[in-house]
C-alpha cells in the first residue's frame, strides 16, 4: 500500500510528513513525499528514509530575500504552486492509494486525487485557518475586509473570496484541462468538510474552534535519536543549563541586531546561550565562551538539557519544547505563531513576548517568567501530558480510509 504526502511550506510543514511516513512504514505501507526542494528538507526526509519528490520553488528562494514577500509576490506564487501540484502530483501519485496534503493552501492536490480516483485528506497543524463562528480569519493577501465588519460569518465569506482571487483562475484552468468541472469556493474545496488536525490536544484544544467536523490525530512527531555534537555536549556539561535561542526560517528577516539583543538578555539573567544560526546565519557578538552556536541539531535531545527555549512559535518547535519539559519564551511574528505564544502563557509553561522584535529589556523580562521555578514545574507537568503517538494514529486512519472505512472521532 502506498500513500502520497505533499506540502509546501517551512520545516514545520515538512517534518510532520516525515514523521507520518515513518508511522506508515511501521504499519507496512510506503510513503512518497512531495515537498519544496530546499536542501535541508531533502536531508530531513533522507534521515527518515523517505526520498524527496521536489515540488515547486525552494521556500528559501521565496522567503529569504532582502525583504519579506509582498502581496504581489503571493499573487505570483499562488498560480505557480497550483501548476506545480498538477504536474508533480499527477506523476508522483502513480501507483498510490491515497493522497494527503497540508501546508500553504494546497490547491490542486484534491483535484489530482479526484482525477485519479484516490481518497483525499487535508491535514492542518492548528485550527486558525478553519472557518469558525468564534474568531475571525487571519490576514491573507487581497482585498481586506472593512474595519467596520465584525460578523465572523461575513469575514470568513470574505476570506474565501480572497482565496478564490489567489488560486481560483489557475485551479479551474487546470481542472478544465483534465475535464473536471469548476470549483466556486477554493478554500472549502481544499479543506473538505472533515479535515484532520495534527496537533497535540493539550497545546491545541479544538472543542468548538471550527464549524468543520475535525478528525483529531495528535501531533506527528519524527523521532530523533541523533547524538549531540561532542563540543555541544561539553558546553552543556559545564555550569548551569544554558538558554536556547532560535528563530528558524523566521530569522531571515529579523532585525540586524537580533543576536546582540538576545545575547544581552540571556546574560542579564546570568545564563549562558546556545544560539541557533537559522536562515539569518546568526553569529556570536563577541569571543566570550558563554555562547555556543549550532546549526542543524537534534532539538529533542537538546531541549531536555536547557533552562529555557526562546523561539518564534512554530507548531513543531512549540510541541518539541513542551514535550521536553523546557519552559518557553515565544516571540511570534506571523500566521499561527501568536496563537502558540498565547497557549504557552495560558498553560503557564513560559511567556509570550510582547511584540515581534525583542530588545534586551523585553526579552530579559520574558525570560524572568520562563526561568521561574513555577514555570519549570508547570512545564515538566505538561510534558507528561503531550502525546507522542499522533503519527501512528494518523497512519492507521489513512490505511483505514484506503480500505473504505470512515475515520471515527478520535479522542487523543
Amino acid at each position: 500500500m502506498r500513500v502520497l504526502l505533499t506540502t509546501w511550506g517551512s520545516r514545520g510543514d515538512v517534518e510532520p510528513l516525515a514523521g507520518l511516513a515513518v508511522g506508515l512504514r511501521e504499519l507496512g505501507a510506503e510513503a512518497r513525499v512531495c515537498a519544496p526542494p530546499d536542501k535541508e528538507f531533502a536531508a530531513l526526509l533522507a534521515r527518515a528514509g523517505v526520498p524527496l519528490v521536489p515540488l515547486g520553488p525552494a521556500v528559501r528562494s521565496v522567503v529569504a530575500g532582502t525583504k519579506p514577500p509582498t502581496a504581489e509576490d503571493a499573487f505570483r506564487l499562488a498560480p505557480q504552486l497550483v501548476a506545480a501540484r498538477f504536474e508533480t502530483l499527477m506523476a508522483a501519485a502513480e501507483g498510490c492509494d491515497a493522497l494527503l496534503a497540508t501546508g500553504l493552501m494546497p490547491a490542486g492536490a484534491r483535484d489530482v486525487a479526484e482525477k485519479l480516483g484516490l481518497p483525499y485528506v487535508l491535514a492542518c497543524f492548528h485550527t486558525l485557518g478553519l472557518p469558525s463562528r468564534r474568531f475571525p480569519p487571519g490576514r491573507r493577501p487581497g482585498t481586506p475586509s472593512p474595519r467596520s465588519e465584525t460578523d465572523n460569518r461575513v469575514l470568513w465569506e470574505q476570506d474565501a473570496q480572497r482565496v478564490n482571487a489567489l488560486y481560483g483562475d489557475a485551479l479551474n484552468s487546470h481542472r478544465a484541462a483534465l475535464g473536471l468541472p469548476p470549483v466556486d469556493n477554493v478554500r472549502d474545496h481544499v479543506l473538505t468538510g472533515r479535515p484532520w488536525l495534527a496537533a497535540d490536544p493539550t497545546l491545541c484544544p479544538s472543542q468548538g474552534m471550527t464549524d468543520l467536523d475535525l478528525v483529531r490525530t495528535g501531533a506527528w512527531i519524527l523521532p530523533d535519536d541523533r547524538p549531540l555534537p561532542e563540543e555541544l555536549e561539553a558546553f552543556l556539561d559545564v555550569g548551569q543549563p544554558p538558554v536556547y535561542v532560535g528563530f528558524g526560517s523566521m530569522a531571515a528577516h529579523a532585525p540586524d541586531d537580533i543576536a546582540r539583543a538576545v545575547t544581552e538578555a540571556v546574560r542579564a539573567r546570568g545564563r549562558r546561550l546556545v544560539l541557533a544560526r537559522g536562515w539569518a546565519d546568526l553569529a556570536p557578538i563577541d569571543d566570550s565562551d558563554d555562547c555556543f552556536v549550532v546549526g542543524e541539531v537534534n532539538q529533542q535531545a537538546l531541549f531536555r538539557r536547557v533552562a529555557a527555549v526562546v523561539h518564534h512559535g512554530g507548531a513543531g518547535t512549540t510541541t518539541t519544547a513542551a514535550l521536553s519539559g523546557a519552559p518557553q519564551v515565544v516571540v511570534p511574528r506571523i500566521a499561527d505563531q501568536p496563537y502558540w505564544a498565547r497557549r504557552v502563557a495560558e498553560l503557564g509553561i513560559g511567556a509570550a513576548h510582547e511584540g515581534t522584535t525583542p530588545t534586551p529589556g523585553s526579552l530579559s523580562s520574558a525570560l524572568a517568567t520562563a526561568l521561574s521555578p513555577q514555570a519549570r514545574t508547570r512545564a515538566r507537568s505538561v510534558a507528561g501530558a503531550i502525546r507522542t503517538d499522533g503519527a501512528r494514529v494518523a497512519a492507521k486512519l489513512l490505511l483505514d480510509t484506503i480500505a473504505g472505512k470512515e475515520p471515527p472521532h478520535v479522542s487523543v
Side-chain angles (χ1 to χ4, degrees):
M1 204 167 287
R2 181 180 296 154
V3 179
L4 181 61
L5 311 175
T6 183
T7 190
W8 196 92
S10 68
R11 175 173 180 156
D13 297 299
V14 177
E15 185 162 340
L17 292 191
L20 178 56
V22 170
L24 285 164
R25 186 166 61 231
E26 290 174 348
L27 295 179
E30 177 188 345
R32 290 178 179 171
V33 176
C34 291
D38 298 75
K39 61 181 181 181
E40 50 264 70
F41 301 161
L44 187 158
L45 289 165
R47 175 160 59 85
V50 182
L52 168 66
V53 179
L55 172 71
V59 174
R60 190 183 286 260
S61 71
V62 174
V63 306
T66 57
K67 295 181 180 180
T70 64
E72 290 75 14
D73 294 328
F75 275 90
R76 284 190 292 269
L77 177 64
Q80 182 181 0
L81 289 177
V82 170
R85 291 191 186 99
F86 274 92
E87 178 181 358
T88 303
L89 300 183
M90 191 66 74
E94 181 180 355
C96 290
D97 301 290
L99 193 160
L100 180 145
T102 187
L104 180 66
M105 188 57 64
R110 181 178 183 177
D111 315 275
V112 169
E114 179 182 348
K115 179 64 178 179
L116 298 178
L118 301 178
Y120 164 80
V121 173
L122 184 283
C124 51
F125 306 123
H126 53 81
T127 61
L128 273 72
L130 305 179
S132 173
R133 285 167 287 184
R134 292 186 56 179
F135 57 83
R139 295 180 60 185
R140 200 187 298 273
T143 304
S145 297
R147 292 186 178 182
S148 58
E149 184 58 72
T150 59
D151 187 326
N152 285 336
R153 290 172 297 181
V154 174
L155 292 172
W156 279 104
E157 289 171 1
Q158 293 168 349
D159 175 73
Q161 294 168 13
R162 286 189 286 273
V163 175
N164 281 347
L166 281 162
Y167 299 95
D169 288 347
L171 182 71
N172 284 323
S173 174
H174 285 279
R175 284 180 62 86
L178 294 179
L180 299 174
V183 169
D184 61 4
N185 186 322
V186 175
R187 185 198 65 199
D188 291 358
H189 171 74
V190 169
L191 294 179
T192 78
R194 205 171 188 207
W196 293 15
L197 177 60
D200 185 82
T202 298
L203 298 175
C204 184
S206 61
Q207 188 68 32
M209 294 300 289
T210 177
D211 300 336
L212 302 181
D213 184 16
L214 285 178
V215 176
R216 295 215 60 144
T217 69
W220 302 343
I221 299 172
L222 175 65
D224 195 342
D225 58 2
R226 293 175 297 166
L228 296 175
E230 292 183 4
E231 297 85 354
L232 176 56
E233 286 276 11
F235 180 80
L236 294 170
D237 287 341
V238 178
Q240 285 185 309
V243 171
Y244 169 92
V245 179
F247 301 113
S249 60
M250 289 297 101
H253 300 291
D256 293 338
D257 60 350
I258 186 69
R260 179 169 298 279
V262 300
T263 301
E264 291 180 0
V266 172
R267 286 174 175 172
R269 289 293 153 193
R271 295 283 180 165
R272 299 177 301 147
L273 169 68
V274 174
L275 180 65
R277 292 192 187 93
W279 283 17
D281 200 21
L282 301 181
I285 63 172
D286 54 36
D287 295 329
S288 176
D289 61 2
D290 66 348
C291 178
F292 191 96
V293 178
V294 296
E296 166 59 24
V297 69
N298 181 345
Q299 291 185 339
Q300 295 172 19
L302 176 57
F303 288 0
R304 292 194 292 267
R305 304 282 302 278
V306 301
V309 176
V310 179
H311 63 99
H312 58 292
T317 309
T318 303
T319 302
T320 301
L323 182 60
S324 76
Q328 308 179 46
V329 173
V330 181
V331 186
R333 293 180 65 84
I334 61 172
D336 58 319
Q337 296 165 13
Y339 169 80
W340 298 111
R342 187 167 62 252
R343 283 300 293 157
V344 163
E346 289 171 349
L347 288 167
I349 60 175
H353 182 271
E354 290 289 340
T356 61
T357 305
T359 66
S362 66
L363 185 54
S364 177
S365 176
L367 275 170
T369 298
L371 293 171
S372 68
Q374 296 90 338
R376 168 62 66 177
T377 298
R378 179 62 179 157
R380 288 174 174 169
S381 175
V382 169
I386 305 299
R387 297 287 296 265
T388 59
D389 62 346
R392 189 173 182 86
V393 169
K396 178 65 166 58
L397 287 175
L398 267 173
L399 299 186
D400 287 347
T401 298
I402 292 170
K405 300 177 183 178
E406 181 75 10
H409 291 275
V410 181
S411 176
V412 295

